[in-house]
Amino acid sequence: MKCKLAWTHLDFKPGGYAPCYRFKLYDGHKFGNVPDMPDVNSPEWIRVREQLSNDEWPDECVDCKIQEESGIQSYRQRSEDLLVTEPDYTKTKVEVKDLQLKLNRACNFSCRHCTVGSNSNFIKVGKENPEIARRLWEDHHFDHVIERHEHRIDIPTPEVINHLFENVLPTVERIEFSGGEPFFHVEMYRFLQRMIDDPNIDTSQITLIYNTNMSLTRFKNYDIAEFWKHFKRADITVSMDGTTDVFNYFRQGGNYNQVLDNIHDLLSRTDKIEKLLFACTTTAYHAFYMNKIDYELGLLKRSLEQRYRIEVKYRATFVHWPEGLDVVNLAESTKKQLLKETADTVFTKEFKLRLQGKRTIPNETFKDIVMLQDQLYNRDASVLAPKIFDYVY
């Protein structure tokens, strides 16, 4: 099996370094973590490439295994489209061409599928609601607002940053910033400026990728469009987890119309964006609104393509953890009804395949998660997402 991520990518993710953002780092892993310097040619990294070369699934690649067994295009398969030089798959020692950095885990949204490891804002929420935090963790193995130190995002130390500038960035062709919310991080802007100022780094040959909630395009005295003038291009993935009212219910602190305004603002001020992707991280919450989400994202895609002459795509991705939010673990009768009601489109195809996949827990736990999160945020779906409210209550 070929996986461009395993041969080119270095990721800073909760729990340590990894060759992929969906790679599972189990307790006691040997892939390295901050404050150690990353080594993509250590024995464990090589072991993963050897297993893939032998058509074996490494245990850590369980998400892609689940997706491919369900007929869903996996992250491994999607990696073939990465804008980096094709690697030599006969070699197990590699150099980093593709880097994903998380320089801070601060975020200005509180999304219902997210965890404290990726959003430091949840620490305060959990401390203010310890009983709900405990129940989400103990009953659903969901670290939504309860802190588990070994699963924080690995934020690079100054020493690791220096190592990247000296040993990694001179060969990198693509850098992805995520978080947290990358446009919300002073560290990201400072990192870009240091790259621009470094004579050993040709930023005009580097593509920047952002996984962003697009809640802002300017931060303090920084304007991201000004930095992009020095880089080859900037491709944007907007986490569009629902549309209109569903978006606003699922993403606490989010404002769908403000996100649209910010997209227009940025596209009107830069010519560096050639590709825009809307990724709907699909959970059991979204299962009841897939037709609506598909229709509204389709309208948005066509409008933006016509106005700005760029490539716009949208797709569904899927939450597998906690298992209670995976659409495959909804009640069987509910899944049958959703299969009937959901239109057959490119956007819904993989959703319907996932609905027909193999359960990973015997009984539905989604309703209990919803009720706990509604208590947590003092907000139910009665007005914004009545289908969810009627189903749960």
Side-chain angles (χ1 to χ4, degrees), residues 238-265:
V238 181
S239 51
M240 197 70 87
D241 304 335
T243 53
T244 57
D245 287 345
V246 175
F247 178 101
N248 293 340
Y249 167 65
F250 186 76
R251 315 195 79 180
Q252 313 302 309
N255 183 312
Y256 183 74
N257 288 331
Q258 183 62 59
V259 168
L260 298 189
D261 288 345
N262 290 338
I263 291 169
H264 284 290
D265 170 65

Side-chain angles (χ1 to χ4, degrees), residues 50-306:
E50 289 176 341
Q51 284 186 273
L52 290 168
S53 295
N54 293 327
D55 289 331
E56 301 172 12
W57 282 110
D59 290 341
E60 299 85 355
C61 298
V62 60
D63 277 14
C64 284
K65 184 172 184 287
I66 288 173
Q67 290 170 339
E68 292 187 27
E69 288 176 348
S70 299
I72 297 171
Q73 187 180 36
S74 70
Y75 297 91
R76 179 189 73 83
Q77 292 166 327
R78 288 177 180 153
S79 76
E80 292 304 309
D81 296 329
L82 285 182
L83 297 173
V84 295
T85 303
E86 189 72 8
D88 184 348
Y89 289 104
T90 66
K91 296 180 179 179
T92 56
K93 289 191 174 182
V94 301
E95 62 181 19
V96 177
K97 297 290 185 182
D98 186 41
L99 176 66
Q100 186 179 60
L101 280 175
K102 302 170 180 69
L103 298 174
N104 196 311
R105 58 189 180 124
C107 187
N108 51 346
F109 283 7
S110 296
C111 302
R112 292 188 176 222
H113 69 293
C114 195
T115 68
V116 72
S118 298
N119 183 348
S120 55
N121 179 54
F122 287 133
I123 297 173
K124 180 181 178 182
V125 177
K127 288 180 178 178
E128 292 173 347
N129 300 272
E131 179 59 20
I132 296 175
R134 181 192 65 78
R135 286 188 58 191
L136 284 168
W137 173 245
E138 293 183 0
D139 297 348
H140 304 286
H141 206 65
F142 187 12
D143 54 337
H144 183 49
V145 291
I146 193 167
E147 193 163 23
R148 298 172 62 223
H149 296 279
E150 70 273 21
H151 286 281
R152 288 181 179 177
I153 288 173
D154 253 7
I155 305 299
T157 62
E159 292 77 16
V160 171
I161 292 289
N162 289 339
H163 172 83
L164 293 177
F165 271 87
E166 293 171 9
N167 301 290
V168 177
L169 288 170
T171 64
V172 160
E173 300 171 6
R174 179 181 183 272
I175 302 176
E176 180 171 351
F177 293 97
S178 58
E181 167 50 44
F183 292 165
F184 197 56
H185 303 160
V186 169
E187 298 88 346
M188 186 273 295
Y189 301 99
R190 292 173 177 168
F191 191 93
L192 292 182
Q193 188 61 57
R194 181 173 172 181
M195 289 181 65
I196 293 166
D197 294 338
D198 192 319
N200 296 315
I201 299 172
D202 184 359
T203 56
S204 69
Q205 300 303 308
I206 295 176
T207 297
L208 300 177
I209 310 292
Y210 287 89
N211 192 334
T212 171
N213 61 31
M214 197 54 78
S215 58
L216 69 168
T217 60
R218 297 176 177 86
F219 183 61
K220 297 186 177 180
N221 295 322
Y222 300 104
D223 182 346
I224 191 60
E226 292 299 313
F227 288 90
W228 289 349
K229 293 177 180 179
H230 301 273
F231 290 84
K232 182 178 181 179
R233 58 189 278 186
D235 290 343
I236 308 296
T237 296
V238 181
S239 51
M240 197 70 87
D241 304 335
T243 53
T244 57
D245 287 345
V246 175
F247 178 101
N248 293 340
Y249 167 65
F250 186 76
R251 315 195 79 180
Q252 313 302 309
N255 183 312
Y256 183 74
N257 288 331
Q258 183 62 59
V259 168
L260 298 189
D261 288 345
N262 290 338
I263 291 169
H264 284 290
D265 170 65
L266 199 52
L267 289 174
S268 68
R269 295 190 299 110
T270 181
D271 61 357
K272 291 293 184 177
I273 298 175
E274 298 180 16
K275 291 185 178 182
L276 186 64
L277 170 66
F278 296 117
C280 178
T281 304
T282 304
T283 69
Y285 279 100
H286 303 91
F288 302 91
Y289 286 94
M290 292 301 283
N291 288 334
K292 181 176 186 291
I293 294 169
D294 185 12
Y295 175 74
E296 292 175 344
L297 288 181
L299 289 178
L300 180 60
K301 163 187 162 66
R302 291 187 289 275
S303 171
L304 293 173
E305 286 181 332
Q306 184 177 11

